Amino acid sequence: LQVDGQQTGFTTLWMDDSGEAENIANVTAFVSRVYDTKLLMGGFGSDLTTFSARQARYEDALMLSAGSSRTNIYEENRGTIFGLLPPGKWKAEAIFDAVKSLSQQVDDEYPNSDENPCGAPGCVQSLVLGLLGKCTSGDMTSGQNHFGAE
């Protein structure tokens, strides 16, 4: 690894937390204290990152999250955790924008409802969005704001 033009080495330590929430904070504390680790990498999603981020803040360590997109984790642990993913709401809004844009293109191409593949009253007015998995109220609010309906 080269930092400021200087060659330096680092050690990577892998610890098994078994993907269990109760183990996450313990493993974070262990590597921070026993190995004096001040830079942590969390490779899991938002649910487990919640626990490791709090412990990293308590240990005065810096954490990089590779898989968490929940903004509350970053807000709660401001200055000690940084992420690689955009906030989940941004992803949802981008998807909603794309679906609405494509639907509008179809409506523009087929203004007559008899020819429109979505039928009357058109694609944009007929949009129904099914979300699979966990859905936060923020995601639903984003959809309502984009589509104008629940």
Side-chain angles (χ1 to χ4, degrees):
L1 179 65
Q2 195 166 21
V3 179
D4 292 332
Q6 299 291 318
Q7 199 73 3
T8 186
F10 66 93
T11 301
T12 302
L13 176 65
W14 294 95
M15 298 291 299
D16 184 10
D17 54 37
S18 302
E20 300 290 332
E22 57 270 9
N23 294 339
I24 299 292
N26 292 336
V27 168
T28 304
F30 177 80
V31 298
S32 297
R33 295 173 189 174
V34 173
Y35 293 96
D36 195 31
T37 305
K38 295 299 178 192
L39 177 60
L40 304 166
M41 172 77 170
F44 25 76
S46 297
D47 288 342
L48 298 178
T49 299
T50 300
F51 299 99
S52 60
R54 287 179 187 153
Q55 189 65 40
R57 185 183 69 219
Y58 180 79
E59 301 295 335
D60 199 27
L62 187 63
M63 183 177 165
L64 179 62
S65 171
S68 176
S69 63
R70 280 197 209 132
T71 54
N72 66 308
I73 295 170
Y74 300 100
E75 291 165 359
E76 180 182 312
N77 302 287
R78 190 175 306 271
T80 60
I81 182 172
F82 300 90
L84 302 177
L85 293 179
K89 181 180 175 191
W90 291 359
K91 291 185 283 187
E93 287 180 354
I95 292 168
F96 297 149
D97 283 341
V99 169
K100 186 173 181 183
S101 176
L102 290 171
S103 298
Q104 187 62 57
Q105 288 176 27
V106 172
D107 287 351
D108 291 346
E109 189 172 333
Y110 301 98
N112 182 340
S113 62
D114 294 334
E115 297 172 0
N116 191 312
C118 298
C123 293
V124 172
Q125 292 298 317
S126 301
L127 283 172
V128 175
L129 178 65
L131 297 174
L132 303 176
K134 288 186 179 180
C135 179
T136 65
S137 61
D139 292 336
M140 290 307 293
T141 301
S142 296
Q144 291 168 7
N145 290 343
H146 278 77
F147 298 140
E150 291 187 29

